[in-house]
Amino acid sequence: MTRSPAAAASVASPEPASKQPPAAERVYAHVKQAVLDRRYEGGTLLSEGELAEAVGVSRTPVREALLRLEAEGLLKLYPKKGALVLPVSAQEIADVVETRLLVERHAVTRAVPAPERLLTRLEELLDEQRGHAATGDLAAFAAADRSFHAEIVRAAGNRILSHLYDQLRDRQLRMGVATMNADPGRIAKNVAEHTEILAALCAGDSTTAAALVERHVSWVSHLARGK
């Protein structure tokens, strides 16, 4: 297990305390985002003292936030030691890929014929991905990548499926960053594959779109095999 470096947060013009989110919410947001974008890698042991100092709060709200993150499956608490960031397991990857395939293959078929607003939004997200790829911002790229797929799921018009898909958000973001760290060349491949999916939607070809989505999403399963 590795220990996290103490993070020093500086704020030029802090807002009055009354306008800030509750202390526990600030700690929760700080730690969760750092876990999702892998600034806190799996296997990192976080101490309450370091987190309290980083966010500028006492230890009580830190404990509250860590308990919440443990309930979400991101951390494992060890009394008097700290909180261990749980690595993404092979089983979790396999489960997420299976769920995504079930939802996304169906959704992309239902999204055809695609409305103009969907095609416009997907093109905007592709442009965002290209911009983040150019700057090397993996966390922002993963967020735009995830949004691209979420827009297609929402376009299918099934609110229950959309809600189910939204529940995968945190796992998808974390895996997206892990994927690109494991294979930096995947960034360009994701952009290329999203471009192909968009082209199939523009052409109204639901069969090709579904096949492209399956190929694109299934690739993530290589992480479960350790490749």
Side-chain angles (χ1 to χ4, degrees):
M1 295 187 295
T2 57
R3 280 195 174 272
S4 66
S10 60
V11 181
S13 301
E15 293 182 348
S18 61
K19 292 186 178 180
Q20 292 187 0
E25 188 65 33
R26 300 205 307 275
V27 178
Y28 170 83
H30 169 84
V31 176
K32 184 168 186 174
Q33 189 58 49
V35 170
L36 293 183
D37 63 25
R38 289 171 61 97
R39 283 179 287 125
Y40 291 156
E41 293 272 8
T44 299
L45 187 65
L46 308 173
S47 77
E48 290 183 5
E50 285 183 345
L51 294 175
E53 182 179 354
V55 185
V57 299
S58 68
R59 292 195 179 202
T60 299
V62 171
R63 294 189 193 101
E64 182 181 335
L66 295 181
L67 283 169
R68 184 176 168 189
L69 290 163
E70 182 179 47
E72 294 181 10
L74 295 177
L75 306 176
K76 172 66 177 177
L77 299 187
Y78 291 92
K80 300 182 180 179
K81 292 183 179 179
L84 182 70
V85 179
L86 295 176
V88 178
S89 69
Q91 186 60 54
E92 181 180 2
I93 294 169
D95 290 348
V96 169
V97 169
E98 182 178 14
T99 306
R100 286 189 62 187
L101 285 173
L102 289 171
V103 173
E104 293 190 44
R105 281 182 303 206
H106 172 77
V108 78
T109 301
R110 290 291 302 273
V112 175
E116 189 62 33
R117 64 180 179 279
L118 172 63
L119 301 178
T120 299
R121 179 58 181 149
L122 294 180
E123 186 59 58
E124 291 172 350
L125 288 166
L126 262 176
D127 287 341
E128 284 185 28
Q129 290 171 63
R130 295 184 185 106
H132 297 316
T135 61
D137 190 337
L138 298 187
F141 183 94
D145 183 309
R146 193 268 172 191
S147 294
F148 183 94
H149 292 271
E151 289 290 343
I152 295 174
V153 172
R154 278 193 287 271
N158 187 318
R159 292 185 179 180
I160 295 176
L161 278 184
S162 293
H163 178 67
L164 172 63
Y165 194 79
D166 285 343
Q167 291 179 314
L168 298 176
R169 176 185 178 276
D170 292 343
R171 289 180 171 85
Q172 285 182 255
L173 292 177
R174 193 177 181 202
M175 289 178 192
V177 177
T179 296
M180 289 175 286
N181 274 307
D183 180 8
R186 188 63 205 175
I187 297 174
K189 292 176 184 176
N190 274 13
V191 171
E193 290 172 8
H194 283 179
T195 301
E196 292 175 342
I197 292 169
L198 177 55
L201 288 172
C202 288
D205 187 344
S206 60
T207 301
T208 297
L212 290 170
V213 164
E214 179 167 6
R215 183 190 70 180
H216 177 68
V217 173
S218 296
W219 182 88
V220 181
S221 62
H222 89 290
L223 289 176
R225 300 191 298 270
K227 296 181 180 179

